[in-house]
Amino acid sequence: LDHKERGPGCWIYWSFTSWNETVEIFRAKMPLRKHRCRFKSYEHCFTAAEAVDWLHELLRCSQNFGPEVTRKQTVQLLKKFLKNHVIEDIKGKWGQEDFEDNRHLYRFPPSSPLKPYPKKPPYQKDVIKFPEWNDPPPGTSQENILVRPVVMNSEMWYKRHSIAIGEVPACRLVHRRQLTEANVEEIWKSMTLSYLQKILGLDSLEEVLDIKLVNSKFIIHNVYSVSKQGVVILDDKSKELPHWVLSAMKCLANWPNCSDLKQPMYLGFEKDVFKTIADYYGHLKEPLLTFHLFDAFVSVLGLLQKEKVAVEAFQICCLLLPPENRRKLQLLMRMMARICLNKEMPPLCDGFGTRTLMVQTFSRCILCSKDEVDLDELLAARLVTFLMDNYQEILKVPLALQTSIEERVAHLRRVQIKYPGADMDITLSAPSFCRQISPEEFEYQRSYGSQEPLAALLEEVITDAKLSSKEKKKKLKQFQKSYPEVYQERFPTPESEALLFPEKPKPKPQLLMWALKKPFQPFQRTRSFRM
């Protein structure tokens, strides 16, 4: 089945969109035929088993769900369909989740069962602003802000335009104001969110998370407080995994060969250890990826076809996690991956393969929404499967982001070079308030306000006796190229320009003495005297 291509922004409402699309395809494509039940015929209906077969194949072939979808999950989804009146039994009954994989007859109701889409926030293109330590505090009124008018003389204009006329002015060092810890934290937060917004291709991150709830201290801790293996180190040891859970996870992650007699063994030992871990993670108050970041992680699912981009987006999202959640996620994903790759590990469940068991057991403790949505389980399974395959890259600190932020902070702390004629060297008069001027006055100031100092600058170059003629011609030529209107007004004709450099009389050439002598006579051969 062909699915419409979606951009990253459309995945914000993924659960609702996928529900409606699945319902539409199911109603349009599910084969209907005539069935008999208890000596009575029913038109346009299907059995429960036929619905499970068809819908299971649809979900497995869908790029949004994938081949990890099980038949049991398909039955659970059909139970939701029956409860929400997507389907009804042949007698018109619905509203309960008593759907089973059998020969019971069902049909589609005549009314539309589609769910309403959640109301999107108003569109606004939001650009993450980099913080400045001298920004006015929140709540400061922007009305009647003092404006310092600029007063410049010809000397100041000469300094400002010295580069244009071929001179490099002297410079001096200016030390920047010291960055506080709060400034650095705000830089980390703003640049991280800006990077995430760019990867997701969104106009605003407000569609997927509440920026106010993002903690900059979490980001910095997750970047720098890590072990040699890249696992987060917690400052508060009370938030660590319980010792017995950590020991159980190490036992399964490092499961030895059966010949190792140091390992306590009895029949079903590994199953009991796995159940201990599953029970602990299953009773967490909040999923590891948090309720707050649910929409952000779900939006990344739209990028799974571009694996490299998806990995990069997951890296940024995982940096926003509380350090204790990130540590638990790192240890859990490492254990799950090692168990799946360990050929010596006995089967942990008789009914499922090891990989399927890992996904079904831990998906809901990793990703889950606060308000349960019908397709949450399939979303979580899809995300956890991708995490298992790429956990080493996803749970690493993104080096490009770290480098760019560190360079930004270093730049703000670096000494700055200031040239004469810069804004800080301007002579300032008493502050005054802004006032409105007429269009005529504006045009006059635009036309003549900047030409007067330039004309004075040109006169200084002309009358400068210290400059040689060659240097003066060079500066005037550069000035003419930069400000042709001012130059044309000063020298309207070539004759007026020529008066500045009068031609010197050329001396007459002296008569050389050698010119009076006879011209050089070529050698003439004489007759030989040999006899």
Side-chain angles (χ1 to χ4, degrees), residues 19 77-87 94-97 109 112-115 374:
W19 170 273
L77 181 57
L78 284 166
K79 287 184 178 182
K80 300 291 184 181
F81 282 180
L82 181 61
K83 181 180 180 180
N84 291 275
H85 206 194
V86 177
I87 60 176
W94 61 278
Q96 296 182 355
E97 296 187 11
S112 174
L114 299 183
K115 287 189 174 184
D374 299 314

Side-chain angles (χ1 to χ4, degrees), residues 265-288:
M265 284 290 183
Y266 61 82
L267 187 61
F269 170 75
E270 67 283 347
K271 295 181 180 179
D272 291 344
V273 175
F274 181 75
K275 187 177 184 303
T276 300
I277 302 170
D279 288 343
Y280 171 79
Y281 277 94
H283 288 84
L284 294 176
K285 295 181 180 179
E286 188 180 32
L288 295 179

Side-chain angles (χ1 to χ4, degrees), residues 36-51:
R36 291 183 61 85
C37 180
R38 297 182 181 180
F39 307 104
K40 188 175 180 181
S41 298
Y42 297 92
E43 300 284 347
H44 307 295
C45 58
F46 51 87
T47 66
E50 291 172 347

